[in-house]
Structures are given as structure tokens and as C-alpha cells.
Amino acid sequence: MKRRQPNSKNNARPAKRASVGMVSEDIEAQTMISSVEDTPKAVKEWLAATFTKQIFGRRSAVEPPKFRSIVQAVRASMYVDKITRKPSQVTPVDVSPAQLMLQAELNNWDIDVFKYDSLTSNKPFRQLFPEILSRYGLIKQFKINLCYLENFCALVEQGYNLHGNPYHNAVHGADVLITTHNLISSTGFVSWLSEIEILALLFSAMIHDVEHTGTTNNFHICTSSPLSILYNDRSVLENHHISSAYRYLTEPESNPFEKLSKDDFREMRGIVVEAVLGTDMSAHFTQIKNMQNALFTPSATTKDVASFFSVNRNSALTLVLHCADISHPTKGWDLHKKWTDTLMEEFFKQGDTETELGLPNSPLCNRAETLVPESQVGFIDFIIVPSMNLLGDMFDSLLQALHNETNGQKTEFRKINRPWDNRLAENRRRWKDLVTPKELPAPETTTPETNGVIPETSEEGETLEKDQSSADVVEPAGSSENGGP
């Protein structure tokens, strides 16, 4: 992302924020956002409030696992084809319409998850999660109890629909799970992952927003909600999602992972905690900056990148989940527009509650004043495009390192296909076409005959005679101090 140099007017404010614990990446991000001239103020405020952390610093990372051996890499690459292969044309008679849709469209980037959810009567995970796990061979690998898995998925579905959210509900959870599957399978990134990492990442995707309240972390903090008190104002919702999911595992006959070894379960939990905490949008710019530093240090070689990720594997998994979580602008227009409508309705419901409580409306939560097309253009430009570009670059770097490790120079490495690029460009264009044009005051004109006095006209357009000595200069229609009506 190109960054403009901050002007002197903006330099002082970030310095003050730094005193309350902002990290340098957030200061830089807020300065960059505030310096862009053609983005509405409300959109800038939303970007700054949502995607930067103004109070808290970095979290301590859980020590991630090390690189797998070459034998494991070769073994993993062998089942990439199996995951992406189309299912058999022979279909059992008792397969449900929802299952048929998964078999035909699960690997489709633009799968209509709303349609799939309706086919399951708003119970999407009971068929979806086992189907995805089976495609990676994880049910057999980790001896997952299918009855317990179904019970756990039912609890997750109930948790997602607890608050009746327009956006953060089971449909969103299913969409993020499917997108995560497609990101690691269609790109071949699955070959870089171990089996326990795949299981942990897919589990994280499914539960990442469970029991979401339909309000933001800032709302919880500002209202001193029980959750904000419980989690000390730090990643309030994300901590709650993780805690809720692991609470479900303690319910009778609801732990499908009981056959995992203690080491595998501990490693899985470490990945889940870090990945779901990484979906806290206030950590966005810090996460992006750290990944850019890892990939694009001028003197870094492919070996250096591989060495970094050999001890920082969780940072790669966290970026995958974060991008999947905010990926709806990368889908076809109809899906993206539907997601945007549901998200804005959730924002507006929060704004309605804030108004009832006598609180100022959070950015983009005012029904009467929010500029939806402008906000989406800003979201795509500042957040989505840089994030997805970085994710693609990370895939290329890590897969090239794995390719060199397993194949040497025998075959040429091919970069991944990025299905999101064209869709992002098209969606941005569609939103740009909907942006309300700025109303400019009509240009003032003078004529020699009136010595600078603009003559009044009748309704029919005829010039009205007026004593020039007492004539006042008439402002152009629609002009005012702020350039609009």
C-alpha cells in the first residue's frame, strides 16, 4: 500500500496517543488514514476506530511448532489433489439437498452460503464441518467421534444464533469456514501445513465468532458490559468466542477431539487461541506490518523467510483466518452486497442502542448519516486489497521455499492463482458508481452590462429590471457557507 507523507497538521495528534500505549504501526496507520483527502471524515474515523489499537500493545505469542520434515511435505502435497478433486458423479439416494450442494460447490469461491444455510434450516455446521474434515482425512487421522462432532456443531449453531444478529451469525461462521478451506486448498498452501495445524485452523474458522453479541468491542468497553469486565477490556469478544467454544467441549458427549494426544490437543489450542485473537480488528495494522517486515526485508532471501516461519508458523495461520473473516468484498457482487447490507443493519442496530443509552453513535452506526458506498470503497482500498495482496505474497513465499526444499531446481515454481483480484476490482467499481457526488456551488459569473450584478429572473426566465443603485448581489442558487444546501 502506498503511504502519503503525513503533513505537519497531523503529526502532533498520534504522538499524544502513543502515551496511552499505541504501537508504532497504529500511529503510522492513523496518520496515513487521516492524510487521505478524498475519503469522507466518517469513513476515516471508522477505519481508525476499528482497525487500530489505541490502548493496548502487542500480545505475547504462543511458541509455534517447527517446520515439518521433507517427507511430511511430500506426503501432504500428495493429497492436495484429493481435496480439490470433484466428487464422484454417483450419488447415494439418501443424500440431502444441502449435502449435494456441498459435494458440487464446496470448492467454488463464490458458493452461495445463504442458499446452503437455508437448505440446512439454519444448521449449517452439522454437515459442513464433517464434510470439510473428511476431505483432509482428519476424521480418520485423529479418530474423531462423529456423534460427538454433531453434538458439538449443534452447540456452535445455537451459540451463533443466540442474539439474532443480522451479520455475525451461523451463516457468517459457515462462510468463513468455507473461505478458509478454499484459501488453503485451492492455493496448495495445505501442503505447507501439518495435520494438526489444518484441524486447528478449520476449527478456529468455525468458532471464531460464536456467541457474538452483535456489538463491537468498543461498545462493550464504553458500556462496561459484563464481558468487558470479565476480559479486562482486551479483545473482549474474541476471548469470549474462544472461551465459549471450549466450554462446549466440556458438555456431555460433545468433545469430538477426546482421542487427541495431550500434545496434539495443547498444540491445537495454542493455534486456536492465537488465530481467533488475531481476528480482533484493532490489531489489523500491527499484524499486517509484522508480516510485511517478515516477507519484504530488503536483504531477506527465500531461505531467510523459511527460517522465520519455521519458528513463527502461527503468524501465517492467523493471517489466513483474518483474511477469511473480512473476505466478503472478494466474492461476487451479489454475495458481497448482501453481506454488506446485513453488516450495516447490525451497525445501525448498535447505533439505535447507543442513542437509547444517550451515547454518541460509533462510526458507521448512524442510520441517517452513514455513507455506505463511501465506507465500502474505503474498506476495500485501505483494508481488503492490502490484506489479500499480502496473503497472496505470503502463500507464494512459503510455497516457493517448500518447493525449493523438496524439488530443488528440478522444476519451476508457479505462483498461486488469486481469484479475489478481479472480484475486488469489480466490487470497488460498483461501489464507486454509487458514491453520492459532491455538490459544488454554482460558479459566479459577471457581465459587463450589470457591472458585476447578476440580474434576477422571473419564473419564465425573463430578466427583471431593478434599480442598479439599490441592487444587492444575489448568491447563486444552492450556495451557502458550507458549499451545499
Side-chain angles (χ1 to χ4, degrees), residues 110 328-341 373 376 380 423-424 426-434:
D110 290 317
H328 69 81
T330 71
K331 307 300 174 65
W333 170 255
D334 290 341
L335 286 173
H336 168 48
K337 180 64 165 56
K338 192 167 185 177
W339 281 121
T340 301
D341 291 342
Q376 291 307 300
I380 290 172
R423 292 165 177 83
L424 272 175
E426 172 63 14
N427 290 337
R428 186 192 187 281
R429 183 191 66 77
R430 298 284 289 265
W431 285 120
K432 197 69 175 176
D433 289 343
L434 296 175

Side-chain angles (χ1 to χ4, degrees), residues 242-457:
I242 301 166
S243 177
S244 298
Y246 277 88
R247 187 177 73 248
Y248 299 158
L249 291 176
T250 66
E251 294 291 323
E253 301 183 343
S254 298
N255 183 4
F257 311 121
E258 61 180 6
K259 295 295 180 64
L260 266 66
S261 68
K262 289 184 178 180
D263 287 343
D264 280 343
F265 190 84
R266 188 181 302 114
E267 181 178 347
M268 176 182 173
R269 178 169 166 80
I271 294 169
V272 171
V273 169
E274 187 164 353
V276 176
L277 286 177
T279 63
D280 182 348
M281 299 304 175
S282 68
H284 170 81
F285 284 105
T286 299
Q287 184 180 157
I288 295 300
K289 187 70 173 181
N290 290 343
M291 183 60 69
Q292 288 173 334
N293 290 340
L295 294 176
F296 303 127
T297 301
S299 59
T301 63
T302 302
K303 275 190 174 182
D304 293 330
V305 172
S307 177
F308 171 83
F309 282 100
S310 69
V311 291
N312 291 279
R313 293 179 67 87
N314 285 9
S315 60
L317 304 182
T318 299
L319 182 62
V320 172
L321 181 58
H322 176 50
C323 288
D325 188 23
I326 59 177
S327 67
H328 69 81
T330 71
K331 307 300 174 65
W333 170 255
D334 290 341
L335 286 173
H336 168 48
K337 180 64 165 56
K338 192 167 185 177
W339 281 121
T340 301
D341 291 342
T342 58
L343 179 58
M344 296 312 302
E345 178 56 29
E346 190 167 299
F347 282 171
F348 294 154
K349 287 181 68 175
Q350 176 175 316
D352 296 341
T353 303
E354 289 169 336
T355 300
E356 292 173 2
L357 295 175
L359 298 172
N361 285 151
S362 299
L364 301 193
C365 291
N366 188 311
R367 290 181 184 272
E369 298 179 3
T370 295
L371 305 170
V372 176
E374 287 85 344
S375 72
Q376 291 307 300
V377 172
F379 183 46
I380 290 172
D381 286 349
F382 287 106
I383 305 300
I384 303 302
V385 169
S387 298
M388 297 305 295
N389 285 347
L390 185 63
L391 180 68
D393 292 340
M394 183 194 77
F395 284 158
D396 283 335
S397 294
L398 295 180
L399 290 174
Q400 182 171 12
L402 182 63
H403 176 272
N404 293 346
E405 185 180 6
T406 57
N407 298 291
Q409 303 299 321
K410 296 179 181 178
T411 57
E412 182 182 357
F413 172 72
R414 297 180 61 182
K415 292 187 175 182
I416 66 163
N417 176 46
R418 305 188 185 194
W420 52 81
D421 282 347
N422 291 337
R423 292 165 177 83
L424 272 175
E426 172 63 14
N427 290 337
R428 186 192 187 281
R429 183 191 66 77
R430 298 284 289 265
W431 285 120
K432 197 69 175 176
D433 289 343
L434 296 175
V435 169
T436 304
K438 296 180 180 179
E439 294 187 8
L440 300 175
E444 294 187 6
T445 59
T446 60
T447 58
E449 292 77 13
T450 57
N451 294 321
V453 177
I454 301 176
E456 295 181 357
T457 60

Side-chain angles (χ1 to χ4, degrees), residues 157-175:
E157 290 161 357
Q158 293 171 19
Y160 265 108
N161 297 322
L162 188 63
H163 298 283
N165 304 326
Y167 179 84
H168 288 103
N169 52 37
V171 191
H172 169 67
D175 181 59

